[in-house]
Amino acid sequence: MSLTFAILVTAPAYGSERSHTAYRFARSVLAQGHRISHLFFYQDGVGNGNCLLAPASDEVDAHRLWSELALEQGLRLDVCVAAALRRGVVDGQEATSLGMEHSNLQAPFVMSGLGQLAEAALEADRFVQF
């Protein structure tokens, strides 16, 4: 029986294993033939979308791993806009509207509202938070 999962990542890209555990869980879910309907990054999890992170050579590149997964599987990576702005993560549109010269959120990560998170909880068979 195939299940649909929604995954909420509230863990930062670094300083905790939870983000990488969420990534491995997502890979495992897909490998077992299940579907992921939503990947939502909230609270400190929005930092996973920061393309300016520069991990050491012996560390996992969380941004790259999530991006590759999304592109391979056709998944959307939703980032809570309010949580992101409070943590210095902005996309091109927000940077322009705020008068900033640069952005640090790039596709396949997209700014999103909490409505997407509510939709994820309603549509999925399983909702998992890391």
Side-chain angles (χ1 to χ4, degrees), residues 1 4-5 8 12 44 46 50 58-59 69 72 83 103 108 128:
M1 175 178 156
T4 300
F5 285 80
L8 173 63
D44 288 338
V46 301
N50 184 347
D58 63 341
E59 291 181 324
L69 174 67
E72 288 169 15
S103 63
V128 184

Side-chain angles (χ1 to χ4, degrees), residues 36 64 106 118:
I36 297 175
R64 183 183 54 79
Q106 65 189 49

Side-chain angles (χ1 to χ4, degrees), residues 101-114:
E101 292 184 33
H102 305 284
S103 63
N104 59 349
L105 184 78
Q106 65 189 49
F109 288 89
V110 294
M111 291 290 195
S112 183
L114 289 177

Side-chain angles (χ1 to χ4, degrees), residues 56-105:
S57 61
D58 63 341
E59 291 181 324
V60 172
D61 186 340
H63 179 82
R64 183 183 54 79
L65 289 177
W66 285 116
S67 296
E68 288 174 355
L69 174 67
L71 293 172
E72 288 169 15
Q73 300 295 324
L75 300 171
R76 182 175 141 143
L77 304 175
D78 287 305
V79 174
C80 176
V81 64
L85 293 176
R86 283 193 299 274
R87 290 165 176 83
V89 178
V90 296
D91 66 0
Q93 181 179 345
E94 291 293 333
T96 299
S97 71
L98 294 170
M100 298 177 170
E101 292 184 33
H102 305 284
S103 63
N104 59 349
L105 184 78

